[in-house]
DNA sequence: TCGCTTGTTGATGG
DNA sequence: GCCATCAACAAGCG
C-alpha cells in the first residue's frame, strides 16, 4: 500500500496530530521494527521532546523534534495512526508514542519489512536519505527527462528505482505507464520526445490525484481500480488487461493501449 | 505445503 | 558500470 500518496497521508496525520506536541512516553511493543536503535535508546532519545515538523521524502516520513529526528518507512503493510490513548491496542501496533494531549501516534505494521530509525541531527537525516533520488512530486517534465536520460533499463524498473526517483511503487508505476500508453518493458532510452512528455504529464496527474485522496486512485477510469478483478479489462479500450512479471513485480498493462516493444 | 503479496537490499551473472 | 534476476526479510492468505 504505502507509496508516495499514502505516506503523504501519514505525513498529514503526523503534522495535524503531532506538530507542537510533546512526546510523553514511547512504548515499543515489538522491537522487530526498530532499526539500529534499541527500545531504551528510542525512549531516552524522544521522551520529553517536542515534535516540530513533519517532512516526507519519497516513501520516507521524517518527524523532526527539538532533539533527534525519527524516520519511518512503512514497507508494504505499515501505516501511521492517530487516536485517543484509551483506544484498544491493535495487534499490529509495534510502537506507540504518547502525546501530551492524551492522544497517541501509533506505528502499525503487519509485516515488519521496514521500520523506524533515529537520526541525531539534520546531517544524520540527510545521510540516511542520501541514496534517494528527488521526490517524485517535485519533478517536472524537464527534470524527469534529465533523470531518465541515458538509462537503458526498462522504464518501469527506472520509475520504481528509489535512487533515481523517490516515491513511486508498483501500483503507481503501472497506473502512470498505462495512462501514458507506454509498455513497462520499453527501454527508457528508447522513448521518444512525445512519449517522455506523456510520461511526465501522466506522472504529475496521477500523483496529484493520488495525493489528494491519500492513496493511489481507484476511480473507475483507472487501471488500479481494475487490476485485481477476476477478468480485468482496460477502462480505456475495453480489451482484456494482462498480468506479467516485469521488473520483478506483478505488472498490469493493456496490450492494446501499451504496445509491447 | 506451496505460491503469492503494493517494499528494499545484496549477491550473482551477463 | 549497467542491468536483470533471484533470495531474503516477515506475516498472512488461499
Amino acid at each position: 500500500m504505502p507509496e508516495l500518496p499514502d505516506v503523504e497521508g501519514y505525513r498529514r496525520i503526523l503534522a495535524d496530530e503531532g506538530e507542537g506536541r510533546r512526546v510523553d512516553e514511547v512504548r515499543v511493543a515489538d522491537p522487530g521494527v526498530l532499526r539500529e536503535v534499541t527500545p531504551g535508546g528510542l525512549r531516552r532519545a524522544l521522551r520529553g521532546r517536542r515534535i516540530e515538523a513533519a517532512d516526507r521524502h519519497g516513501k520516507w516520513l521524517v518527524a523532526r523534534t527539538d532533539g533527534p529526528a525519527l524516520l519511518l518507512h512503512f514497507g508494504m503493510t505499515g501505516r501511521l495512526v492517530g487516536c485517543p490513548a484509551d483506544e484498544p491496542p491493535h495487534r499490529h501496533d509495534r510502537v506507540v508514542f504518547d502525546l501530551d494531549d492524551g492522544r497517541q501516534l501509533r506505528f502499525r505494521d503487519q509485516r515488519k519489512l521496514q521500520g523506524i530509525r533515529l537520526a541525531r541531527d539534520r546531517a544524520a537525516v540527510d545521510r540516511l536519505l542520501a541514496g534517494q533520488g528527488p521526490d517524485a512530486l517535485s519533478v517536472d517534465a524537464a527534470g524527469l527527462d534529465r533523470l531518465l536520460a541515458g538509462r537503458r533499463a526498462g522504464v518501469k524498473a527506472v520509475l520504481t528505482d528509489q535512487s533515481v526517483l523517490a516515491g513511486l511503487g508498483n501500483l503507481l508505476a503501472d497506473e502512470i505507464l498505462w495512462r501514458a500508453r507506454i509498455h513497462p518493458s520499453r527501454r527508457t532510452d528508447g522513448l521518444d520526445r512525445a512519449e517522455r512528455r506523456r510520461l511526465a504529464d501522466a506522472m504529475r496527474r496521477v500523483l496529484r490525484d493520488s495525493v489528494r485522496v491519500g492513496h493511489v486512485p481507484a476511480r473507475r477510469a483507472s487501471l488500479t481500480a481494475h487490476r485485481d478483478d477476476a477478468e480485468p479489462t482496460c477502462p480505456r479500450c475495453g480489451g482484456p488487461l494482462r498480468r506479467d512479471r516485469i521488473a520483478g513485480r506483478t505488472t498490469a498493462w493493456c496490450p492494446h493501449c501499451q504496445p509491447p516493444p
Side-chain angles (χ1 to χ4, degrees), chain A residues 41-233:
Chain A
L42 187 71
R43 181 166 175 268
R44 282 191 297 276
L46 290 178
R47 215 158 56 120
R49 293 298 187 180
R50 201 167 287 279
I51 299 172
E52 291 185 333
D55 299 331
R56 181 192 57 74
H57 187 94
K59 301 175 189 174
W60 283 95
L61 180 61
V62 183
R64 299 189 189 278
T65 74
D66 54 358
L70 198 62
L71 281 80
L72 303 98
H73 195 296
F74 299 91
M76 284 171 63
T77 54
R79 52 184 295 205
L80 186 70
V81 176
C83 64
D86 59 4
E87 185 154 309
H90 185 285
R91 60 186 298 218
H92 296 137
D93 286 339
R94 309 299 187 184
V95 180
V96 174
F97 303 91
D98 287 354
L99 304 180
D100 62 0
D101 62 351
R103 291 181 64 83
Q104 295 178 333
L105 288 168
R106 301 183 179 185
F107 182 79
R108 184 173 297 175
D109 193 9
Q110 177 192 107
R111 294 154 74 178
K112 293 168 281 187
L113 289 174
Q114 299 296 323
I116 294 178
R117 291 171 186 275
L118 202 55
R120 302 194 168 290
D121 50 32
R122 197 168 278 261
V125 174
D126 292 344
R127 273 196 301 279
L128 285 170
L129 298 180
Q132 298 275 303
D135 186 81
L137 209 50
S138 72
V139 172
D140 60 14
L144 188 63
D145 265 355
R146 282 192 296 275
L147 294 174
L148 301 184
R151 297 186 186 273
R152 291 171 286 144
V155 61
K156 173 165 177 176
V158 172
L159 288 178
T160 54
D161 183 340
Q162 304 300 299
S163 70
V164 174
L165 185 65
L168 304 188
N170 196 42
L171 297 186
L172 272 175
D174 285 359
E175 183 71 37
I176 290 165
L177 289 166
W178 172 77
R179 189 175 270 279
R181 307 183 193 217
I182 296 170
H183 189 277
S185 291
R186 290 280 304 284
R187 267 178 61 145
T188 303
D189 62 0
L191 302 178
D192 65 27
R193 180 180 288 271
E195 289 171 325
R196 296 199 305 270
R197 181 72 208 193
R198 292 209 304 272
L199 188 59
D201 289 346
M203 183 174 84
R204 297 185 63 75
R205 174 75 178 275
V206 169
L207 282 178
R208 200 177 57 228
D209 290 354
S210 308
V211 162
R212 191 157 48 221
V213 295
H215 55 82
V216 182
R219 292 178 298 121
R220 257 180 10 160
S222 76
L223 179 75
T224 307
H226 296 270
R227 60 180 295 152
D228 292 324
D229 294 349
E231 288 182 25
T233 57

Side-chain angles (χ1 to χ4, degrees), chain A residues 11 16 25 59 82 109 160 182 194 236 253 256 259:
Chain A
R11 191 196 66 76
D16 293 347
E25 188 54 275
K59 301 175 189 174
D109 193 9
T160 54
I182 296 170
R236 187 163 46 213
W253 60 285
H256 176 258

Side-chain angles (χ1 to χ4, degrees), chain A residues 17-38:
Chain A
E17 304 245 357
E19 270 180 17
R21 300 258 73 89
R22 194 181 63 233
V23 178
D24 279 346
E25 188 54 275
V26 180
R27 307 166 192 277
V28 178
D30 187 338
V33 296
L34 301 186
R35 299 287 182 262
E36 286 157 12
V37 61
T38 62

